[in-house]
Every structure is written in structure tokens, then in C-alpha cells.
Amino acid sequence: MTTDGVEVGDRIDERIAARHDRLTPQEQRAAATLLEHLDDLATYRAAELAELAGVSKATMSRLFRSLGFEDFDQVREHLRGLRSTGEPRRADGAVDPAAIACVEQAAVQRAVEHPRTEEAITLIAEARRVVVVGWRNSYPVALHLREQLAQARDEVRIAPAPGQTLGEELTGLGRQDLVVVIGFRRRPAGFAAFLAEARSCAATVLLVGDPSAVSHAAHVDLWLECPLTSALAFDSYAAPMALVSVLADGVLARLGRAGSNRVRSITAAYERLDETE
């Protein structure tokens, strides 16, 4: 949607860049102040921003309208929308540790009580081979899952390896194999194509991601929705890491004596190699 040459879906900084040359000198000063304070804009009132910029409140209001916003409240709503997509934005006001802990607890509970967790555990425990895949912020979650699963069972690998590509990781997989894809928001371009390729090799595909990944759910065999919390500037991965623990614990329990024997063998190898304290 376009309003007076402004693409309404664009971020505020993109809107400013697109219209900068058409702004008056006063509006350009106001725009520069907006850009300087994007991270903490919610802590200001429109009049305070105008004062910081050295312009009138009317000039600041004209700038908002020129950028496609009705008023300053809509600007703040736009920035909150950016935060919900995973873009880091500082939280409004002072940090409230008790409130953050409450939000985290609720997210963890939602993650570990997912009704299809047992189904996921069965797939992981019974697969011939397991490939755990993750990019960007999802990679640490994927790596942690791989490390925990490797304690309980063999044939678990992480992809992509640093500096490597994915084609070779999928080649040779079949119906007895499982691809666990960790896909939290701000996924890379080509995410959907990877899921399609994984399905084409006949392997079972398990997708774990936040609600923004629901559009991919129809293209996998099992979808586990896991929330992220956004109380601070950067997403918290407490819930995904808790889910990893639940999945790994469930796999170890499902494998019984074979899993316990593997744990003991790994511990003995650590001791022989003097790898851990």
C-alpha cells in the first residue's frame, strides 16, 4: 500500500530515506532526531522530541504524516511491530525483573507442555539417523539439542557445519531418518526451499519454531510451536532451551538401557582422555 509515495509496509528508517530529499530543512532535523532515538523512542512524548530537534510540535506532526503515520502513537506501534518480528528494540521504561521472570516462566511452561512433545520424542528415539539443522539465532538451540541427543543415542549430527552448505547433509537420507529443523524468527531466505528439499528425500521432518513459523507447518511431518519472549531488546531463548532438555530427557528415557550404557561409555571416554573436570 502506498500513501503519497510512501510504502506503508516499510520500516520508519526506510520511509525517511525515501522521502528525505522532499522534506523541508526543519522536517529533516526532526527526522534526524527520530533516527537518533529509535531505540528509546517510546520513552519520549512528541513534544519532547520536537524540543530535542529544535522544531515546533506542528513540524513534528507534519513529519509523522509525511511518513505515513497518523500520529506519534502510530509511530510507537510501528516500532513495537518491528520488535515482534525479532528486531532488537529497547524495552519501554525500567527493567522489572519480577515481571520478566513471570513472562519467562509462562513461556517455558507452554513449551514443555506442548501436546505433541511425546510424538517428537518417539520420532527422535526411533530414527536411524537424526540431522539437527539451525541458522542464525536458531543454531545455538540446534547445537544444544544435538549435544544432548548425542549423549543418549548415536547417529546425530548438526548442520550446517560452520562455513559449509546443506546439500551434502540431506543426500542419502531416507524414510528411516529424521531432520529436526530449528526455525525461530528472522529465518534465512530459502528456509521454505530447504524444508521442501528435506521432504523430497523421504526423511521425516520435525519443525520447532515460534508462532511466526506456522506458515511452514503444513510442509513438515510434525510441528512443535515454541514461544520466544520479547520483554527486553533481544529475544529470550529460555523456552526453546527448556524444550530441548525435555526432548533429550524423553529420548534417554525411551531408549532405556541402551541410552544409559551410551552415557556411561561417553563418561568413561571423558575420563580416559581427561577431557572434563
Side-chain angles (χ1 to χ4, degrees):
M1 178 179 175
T2 304
T3 302
D4 190 26
V6 173
E7 291 293 334
V8 175
D10 287 348
R11 296 156 37 108
I12 186 171
D13 52 341
E14 294 171 343
R15 300 187 196 193
I16 290 173
R19 290 193 59 81
H20 189 268
D21 291 345
R22 285 176 281 175
L23 299 176
T24 68
Q26 290 290 87
E27 288 170 345
Q28 288 180 359
R29 289 176 60 184
T33 300
L34 278 182
L35 291 173
E36 184 179 351
H37 292 279
L38 282 183
D39 284 342
D40 57 352
L41 207 60
T43 64
Y44 292 94
R45 295 191 299 271
E48 292 172 326
L49 283 171
E51 184 176 351
L52 279 173
V55 302
S56 68
K57 289 187 289 185
T59 296
M60 189 64 75
S61 295
R62 283 196 303 273
L63 174 64
F64 296 152
R65 291 193 294 273
S66 176
L67 297 176
F69 301 105
E70 292 181 6
D71 51 30
F72 188 43
D73 286 341
Q74 198 171 80
V75 173
R76 283 189 287 211
E77 189 62 33
H78 168 75
L79 292 173
R80 280 192 288 269
L82 293 179
R83 182 67 194 90
S84 70
T85 66
E87 181 171 317
R89 292 285 168 190
R90 289 173 56 189
D92 299 356
V95 173
D96 183 345
I100 292 171
C102 186
V103 170
E104 294 283 12
Q105 181 179 2
V108 168
Q109 185 169 354
R110 281 176 56 199
V112 301
E113 292 181 350
H114 195 288
R116 303 193 73 180
T117 299
E118 286 300 319
E119 191 175 346
I121 288 170
T122 299
L123 288 175
I124 296 170
E126 296 183 356
R128 177 181 60 179
R129 289 175 291 189
V130 178
V131 180
V132 187
V133 183
W135 298 264
R136 308 187 76 251
N137 284 355
S138 294
Y139 188 81
V141 181
L143 181 60
H144 188 51
L145 178 59
R146 186 270 166 191
E147 294 304 302
Q148 301 306 300
L149 293 179
Q151 297 285 320
R153 55 156 297 159
D154 58 7
E155 294 293 338
V156 184
R157 63 179 190 258
I158 184 74
Q164 300 301 305
T165 50
L166 285 163
E168 61 272 21
E169 302 293 349
L170 295 177
T171 300
L173 296 182
R175 296 187 183 279
Q176 295 177 283
D177 302 317
L178 175 68
V179 180
V180 182
V181 184
I182 310 298
F184 291 96
R185 61 193 180 195
R186 308 196 92 180
R187 294 171 290 277
F191 186 83
F194 173 79
L195 292 180
E197 184 67 23
R199 288 293 301 276
S200 72
C201 69
T204 300
V205 180
L206 163 61
L207 172 61
V208 180
D210 66 287
S212 71
V214 70
S215 61
H216 299 287
H219 308 290
V220 299
D221 297 286
L222 181 60
W223 153 240
L224 288 186
E225 183 177 305
C226 179
L228 297 177
T229 58
S230 311
L232 300 174
F234 295 92
D235 289 336
S236 168
Y237 283 75
M241 287 302 194
L243 179 59
V244 163
S245 295
V246 168
L247 292 173
D249 180 79
V251 170
L252 182 60
R254 188 68 55 87
L255 293 175
R257 180 171 295 180
S260 298
N261 288 342
R262 181 175 173 82
V263 169
R264 285 193 291 271
S265 294
I266 291 171
T267 300
Y270 287 161
E271 292 173 352
R272 290 193 298 272
L273 296 168
D274 195 24
E275 287 188 309
T276 58
E277 293 185 6

